[in-house]
Amino acid sequence: MAQKPIYLGEEDHLRVTAAVSAAEQHTSGEIVTILTEKSDDYLDVALCWAAAASLVGLAALAMNADFYLRVWDTLTGQWGAEHTPSELFWMAGLFAALQFAGAMIVLAWWPFRLILVPGRIKTKRVHARAVSFFKVGAERRTHGRTGILIYLSMREHRAEIVADAAIAHQVPEAVWGEAMIDMLGELKEGRTAAAMVSGVEHVGRVLAEHFPRAEDDENEIPDRLIEL
């Protein structure tokens, strides 16, 4: 089993935590940070590709039936044998099954599987996972519903910012676009901790403008980075 990559060390975690604490000094908003290796296994996508490979194989078999029958006869030692319809269907089924199994073996290699996942599907899966984590870790967990999640999915090279009701009501989603661009820029340079810190600082500035910290404000959600 492949060892899980380590994206952030202890100092990096402390750096992100410190950035969250500093940002929350000026806002009643609560910032949650999550970093994960991947947001989905995309097994369904692998199955679709394997099924497609099987169908393409059957089409190739139909278009070159004489060639494949000669190969079959050579392998089985049945030179020029007459095959019944049931035998032909059985051979076609076996061929399709081998195509499917071969494709799944190749797609078991995660980097190749991820290459074959369309970008739109990656984006949707990352967003869905970010929303699910937000619902568990931040939504409605603050008094004024001012929780916000900054989410990095490393394998997909995607970031998401999900805000609670009060924030979403006052801050358009487009405002977070600049923060995500900055984060992804840092990620492309291999600076994972800097990417998260950049996102935290940008989100903190926006929250401080719309949700300044009150004197009696309490820290309702831990500041530490969650790495899954």
Side-chain angles (χ1 to χ4, degrees):
M1 184 176 179
Q3 186 175 2
K4 181 180 177 181
I6 298 175
Y7 294 105
L8 295 176
E10 184 177 351
E11 290 186 3
D12 294 322
H13 276 260
L14 293 174
R15 183 180 170 191
V16 175
T17 299
V20 173
S21 299
E24 291 182 355
Q25 292 299 313
H26 307 286
T27 176
S28 60
E30 294 286 340
I31 302 172
V32 178
T33 53
I34 295 180
L35 181 147
T36 188
E37 179 187 5
K38 58 186 177 181
S39 293
D40 195 84
D41 286 327
Y42 303 102
L43 181 59
D44 57 332
V45 177
L47 290 171
C48 288
W49 278 112
S54 180
L55 292 174
V56 170
L58 283 175
L61 179 65
M63 294 172 63
N64 302 277
D66 291 339
F67 169 77
Y68 284 106
L69 284 174
R70 286 196 298 270
V71 172
W72 176 267
D73 290 343
T74 300
L75 292 174
T76 59
Q78 301 177 13
W79 294 91
E82 291 291 332
H83 299 287
T84 65
S86 61
E87 288 177 329
L88 293 174
F89 276 109
W90 184 85
M91 284 187 282
L94 177 61
F95 185 77
L98 290 174
Q99 289 282 106
F100 183 88
M104 286 301 296
I105 290 173
V106 172
L107 289 166
W109 186 45
W110 167 255
F112 183 66
R113 185 194 307 180
L114 192 62
I115 290 173
L116 294 182
V117 177
R120 184 170 59 179
I121 292 179
K122 293 178 187 176
T123 299
K124 287 184 177 180
R125 298 287 171 86
V126 171
H127 177 74
R129 183 56 61 90
V131 170
S132 68
F133 282 139
F134 172 75
K135 289 181 180 296
V136 172
E139 187 177 37
R140 301 183 181 182
R141 290 189 60 187
T142 61
H143 178 72
R145 298 193 66 175
T146 54
I148 187 166
L149 169 67
I150 302 175
Y151 177 80
L152 288 182
S153 193
M154 300 302 296
R155 292 286 192 176
E156 292 91 345
H157 299 103
R158 279 161 172 75
E160 288 285 337
I161 297 177
V162 185
D164 214 334
I167 298 175
H169 181 70
Q170 292 197 36
V171 183
E173 287 188 12
V175 171
W176 309 122
E178 184 179 342
M180 288 196 285
I181 290 173
D182 291 342
M183 291 168 65
L184 293 176
E186 295 285 2
L187 282 176
K188 288 180 180 178
E189 298 297 326
R191 297 189 290 264
T192 305
M196 187 63 85
V197 170
S198 175
V200 169
E201 291 175 347
H202 188 102
V203 167
R205 289 193 295 271
V206 174
L207 292 179
E209 178 182 350
H210 292 86
F211 300 93
R213 182 172 183 172
E215 292 184 1
D216 60 348
D217 183 73
E218 296 182 0
N219 191 12
E220 299 174 273
I221 300 177
D223 298 337
R224 68 180 181 86
L225 169 70
I226 301 171
E227 187 171 359
L228 303 174

